[in-house]
Amino acid sequence: MSGPETVHLLAAWLEQHMKTRGVSAADVAADLGVPVATVTAWLSGRKSETNAYAHLDTPAKLGAWLKALIRESGFTVKQIAATTENVSMGTVYNWLRGEHLPPPPSAGEPDRFDALLSNTRLGLTLAQRVQLDEIRRRLTGTSLHAPVGTISRWPDHGLPANDVFIGRGEEIRRLDRVLGDGGRKVVVVSGAGGVGKTTLVAHWARLRDTVATYVDGCLYVNLNGFSESAPMSVEKALTTLLSQLDVDPQSMVGGVETLVARYHKAMSGRKMLVVLDNAGTEPQVRPLLPVTPGCVAVVTSRHRLTGLQVTSGKTLHIRLDTLGAREAASLIRNLVGGLALKTTDPDAIDELASVCGRLPLALTIAAANFLTHARPSGTSLREYAKQLSVNRLDTLAVGPTDPEYAVSATIDRSTRQLTNRTRDGYRLLGLHPGPGIGVDAAAVAIGTTVDEAQTVLDELEQANLVVQTRPGRYAFHDLVRDHAARLAADGDTNDAARLRMLDHYLHTAFAAARLIEPDREPIALPEPTVHPQVIADVAGAHEWFDVERPVLLAMVKYAAESGADAHAWRLAWTLTDDLNRRGHWHDWVTVGRTAVTSAKRLNDDTAAARAHRFLAFALIRLNLLDEA
């Protein structure tokens, strides 16, 4: 055990001892015959949550603080690195930029970060180093604000283990807010399947402050709301909770109301955490919520369960998203291990994280498969990431012996509870190339009214299958988009939906372009199959292009790849003025090349001439004069 870890655990034990015995720092000092200041210094190893460095909650902030510390020391980065064992100047510069912050190493490996903090030229005390070490651990998901098994036993009644936990600092802080609330509290942690809801809650439940608050333990039940097996009934859930409360099985008879009454009676006077995992619906959860003051229920679900706010009042909602880029890379490093990554460059790790959409489930499966299959065969991490990218949904699976542990199966289970109308809408939205879609375009893709499309999007959002990125605009997670697109590939209404979308964007973009440049020579358009979106004025046209530009770029490629060459070159025409005006010349070249290819396939000389013309203008902007 490292020095800082030992200091932290001993300080935590001392604080717990003082709380249990009801003694002060002065009492401890008197018993041991040491100054009160000494006891206070010992306790500083525990106070990392409220110390002077608590504001350093991102690697960039920590890096900026280190940079200022080195500057104040009067030494250069080169001088500090030269006098720090196992730390290069490049490594220090990475940390100052907030990059590649290392987690605590395995036994026997040097701790380069602690070596830097220990450099006498920086003038940090042991207590300061301990506090900064905890900041580093929080940022890398290895916080010592952690399990108390080494100090005391705590009944957790089957709470799932979580050996590897990374990041989620903001969510942990939000969960911590319920600790000071003595009243009844309900917390709903929602998010897409595989995003790590259970892992987060299990980790938080075992943190020292959580255990110290809910002294009578934790009840846990998996409600199977999104499993292959049927959801757990309310009666079964209540009997499970009553068994964990050591209620006599002979008394667990009667209907739901009788069991609820026994449950509330058994909880009376206790301070407990109740984890209701993988909940499907509000009615499945409501009878299981504790009513005793000082107890809290934490519910995890793929649905947002907003109905609980109506009946349970004081409800905290936490929506869990995918990991950040650094967190995802850190998780891969922890799962794959130092030896396997010894010759791997950081870019390869980032590529794998990106291919997995930074979804914790996908990252975990990818790491396991790499260690089991790819690494023994000599495949590098970069090659493995490239192989995964070809068919992520099929590859991100453990195998036939464990079919539930797969990304595709996980998303499947999320879609089964959708209404038929929304399931059809989800499939048709899978035809859209992204990255985001507005309600008007969604209505066109689904083939319905704007109001009905909004209802579909609302249900998808409640199921955490889409996220609202701004009012009236939605986006899929990458892997969810792949899943919806796969379902769309099996549909028989795709051609009509694809034509509706292409017509919507072409005719709306054409109208917006004409508003901005009315004197530009127009092109002929086919008759639309849908009514284009109405844009009132020039300002509205500019705003529309600013919002839809990434979609229009994707639509040009999508049209060309799906054989809609007449739409492809015309969509490129609508974009040229906007891309030129905004300085997106590389994008202009890309759509220009696509337009030329599509026009040639059409054998349309007029289209080819126009496409060559605006491609040449884009090349001139990039000073590629010979090619122009």
Side-chain angles (χ1 to χ4, degrees):
M1 185 177 290
S2 69
E5 184 176 353
T6 303
V7 171
H8 188 96
L9 288 175
L10 289 174
W13 178 89
L14 176 59
E15 184 181 64
Q16 187 65 33
H17 167 79
M18 290 169 61
K19 284 183 179 179
T20 303
R21 298 299 179 91
V23 296
S24 66
D27 296 328
V28 173
D31 289 342
L32 298 177
V34 298
V36 176
T38 300
V39 177
T40 304
W42 292 341
L43 291 170
S44 68
R46 166 68 186 133
K47 299 300 184 182
S48 59
E49 291 80 18
T50 58
N51 65 23
Y53 308 119
H55 65 288
L56 305 178
D57 55 1
T58 68
K61 290 181 182 179
L62 177 58
W65 183 88
L66 285 170
K67 184 177 181 180
L69 179 68
I70 292 173
R71 185 171 60 246
E72 291 170 4
S73 74
F75 295 97
T76 65
V77 172
K78 183 177 181 180
Q79 290 170 324
I80 293 294
T83 55
T84 304
E85 190 176 359
N86 298 311
V87 178
S88 68
M89 185 167 64
T91 296
V92 177
Y93 273 120
N94 280 337
W95 296 345
L96 300 187
R97 290 192 294 266
E99 298 174 357
H100 311 310
L101 187 66
S106 303
E109 297 180 9
D111 189 339
R112 295 178 298 156
F113 185 74
D114 186 60
L116 176 69
L117 299 181
S118 302
N119 191 310
T120 55
R121 291 181 170 182
L122 297 181
L124 294 172
T125 66
L126 174 61
Q128 288 174 314
R129 284 169 44 207
V130 169
Q131 293 168 357
L132 288 164
D133 176 71
E134 173 61 15
I135 294 297
R136 179 267 298 261
R137 288 172 179 271
R138 281 204 169 195
L139 294 176
T140 57
T142 53
S143 174
L144 284 172
H145 180 227
V148 295
T150 57
I151 297 175
S152 62
R153 295 188 62 191
W154 187 67
D156 58 16
H157 296 294
L159 190 69
N162 55 321
D163 295 331
V164 178
F165 181 82
I166 296 295
R168 304 300 194 190
E170 175 59 30
E171 289 80 7
I172 290 289
R173 284 190 287 274
R174 293 191 66 194
L175 284 165
D176 280 346
R177 291 173 191 165
V178 309
L179 299 178
D181 188 341
R184 180 170 60 120
K185 190 82 174 181
V186 178
V187 181
V188 177
V189 179
S190 72
V195 80
K197 301 179 293 295
T198 303
T199 301
L200 166 66
V201 173
H203 174 79
W204 176 76
R206 293 189 174 96
L207 295 182
R208 188 174 305 278
D209 288 350
T210 310
V211 171
T213 301
Y214 305 109
V215 293
D216 293 309
C218 171
L219 306 179
Y220 173 84
V221 60
N222 182 351
L223 297 175
N224 291 328
F226 297 89
S227 303
E228 288 297 329
S229 55
M232 181 179 286
S233 68
V234 174
E235 291 90 339
K236 174 64 175 175
L238 284 167
T239 55
T240 300
L241 293 170
L242 287 168
S243 295
Q244 293 176 11
L245 290 165
D246 295 324
V247 173
D248 182 1
Q250 299 298 322
S251 68
M252 297 183 201
V253 293
V256 170
E257 290 185 1
T258 302
L259 292 173
V260 167
R262 287 198 174 90
Y263 171 55
H264 290 166
K265 182 178 180 181
M267 290 286 285
S268 179
R270 304 195 196 207
K271 290 186 176 180
M272 300 196 77
L273 170 65
V274 182
V275 177
L276 305 174
D277 195 18
N278 198 16
T281 63
E282 289 91 339
Q284 186 188 28
V285 171
R286 284 193 183 102
L288 313 179
L289 300 177
V291 297
T292 302
C295 293
V296 67
V298 180
V299 186
T300 74
S301 179
R302 299 186 192 184
H303 287 168
R304 298 197 175 185
L305 304 182
T306 51
L308 292 180
Q309 182 75 42
V310 177
T311 54
S312 302
K314 208 172 184 181
T315 303
L316 172 65
H317 287 269
I318 298 176
R319 184 185 176 278
L320 204 59
D321 207 343
T322 53
L323 293 171
R326 289 192 181 93
E327 291 177 329
S330 182
L331 179 59
I332 291 173
R333 292 188 188 95
N334 276 270
L335 292 170
V336 173
L339 290 176
L341 295 174
K342 209 163 190 178
T343 59
T344 299
D345 62 286
D347 288 344
I349 297 173
D350 293 338
E351 285 179 22
L352 179 59
S354 179
V355 168
C356 294
R358 304 201 302 271
L359 186 73
L361 173 64
L363 293 165
T364 304
I365 293 173
N369 287 347
F370 174 74
L371 292 174
T372 306
H373 307 299
R375 185 168 178 249
S377 66
T379 303
S380 71
L381 200 68
R382 185 182 295 279
E383 292 169 335
Y384 176 59
K386 188 174 182 180
Q387 293 171 7
L388 273 182
S389 66
V390 175
N391 186 356
R392 297 186 290 183
L393 285 183
D394 285 340
T395 317
L396 289 170
V398 170
T401 58
D402 196 3
E404 283 198 43
Y405 205 60
V407 170
S408 182
T410 298
I411 303 174
D412 277 340
R413 292 192 288 273
S414 293
T415 62
R416 289 175 190 167
Q417 294 191 14
L418 300 174
T419 61
N420 291 335
R421 176 183 58 182
T422 299
R423 195 179 299 113
D424 287 341
Y426 170 79
R427 175 179 61 81
L428 290 170
L429 289 173
L431 294 170
H432 191 276
I437 189 169
V439 180
D440 289 283
V444 169
I446 299 170
T448 187
T449 66
V450 170
D451 287 344
E452 290 176 348
Q454 185 65 67
T455 300
V456 168
L457 290 166
D458 287 343
E459 186 178 345
L460 291 174
E461 186 185 17
Q462 287 295 317
N464 281 294
L465 288 167
V466 300
V467 60
Q468 188 169 190
T469 56
R470 56 183 288 178
R473 194 158 190 86
Y474 299 83
F476 280 123
H477 177 271
D478 287 351
L479 293 168
V480 176
R481 181 184 301 285
D482 286 356
H483 183 269
R486 172 177 289 186
L487 294 180
D490 299 329
D492 56 3
T493 57
N494 292 355
D495 289 342
R498 187 178 293 111
L499 179 59
R500 290 195 305 267
M501 283 194 302
L502 290 170
D503 274 358
H504 167 80
Y505 284 107
L506 173 60
H507 286 270
T508 306
F510 178 80
R514 293 283 289 156
L515 275 171
I516 295 169
E517 290 289 344
D519 296 332
R520 185 182 178 193
E521 182 183 357
I523 58 174
L525 298 186
E527 284 296 317
T529 57
V530 295
H531 294 294
Q533 188 173 334
V534 177
I535 299 175
D537 50 30
V538 173
H542 282 301
E543 183 181 357
W544 187 84
F545 270 118
D546 286 341
V547 172
E548 299 291 358
R549 188 180 302 113
V551 177
L552 293 169
L553 292 170
M555 276 289 169
V556 173
K557 180 182 178 183
Y558 176 70
E561 291 178 347
S562 60
D565 289 313
H567 283 80
W569 82 262
R570 288 182 169 93
L571 278 166
W573 182 92
T574 68
L575 271 165
T576 54
D577 279 347
D578 174 74
L579 295 175
N580 181 31
R581 186 179 302 104
R582 300 300 191 189
H584 299 290
W585 298 321
H586 289 283
D587 288 334
W588 190 5
V589 168
T590 299
V591 298
R593 295 192 195 284
T594 303
V596 167
T597 301
S598 289
K600 286 180 177 178
R601 282 200 295 256
L602 290 169
N603 292 318
D604 185 332
D605 290 341
T606 301
R610 288 183 179 275
H612 277 97
R613 184 181 181 188
F614 54 71
L615 174 57
F617 283 142
L619 292 166
I620 290 170
R621 283 294 197 183
L622 292 175
N623 205 31
L624 300 172
L625 303 182
D626 291 340
E627 189 176 352

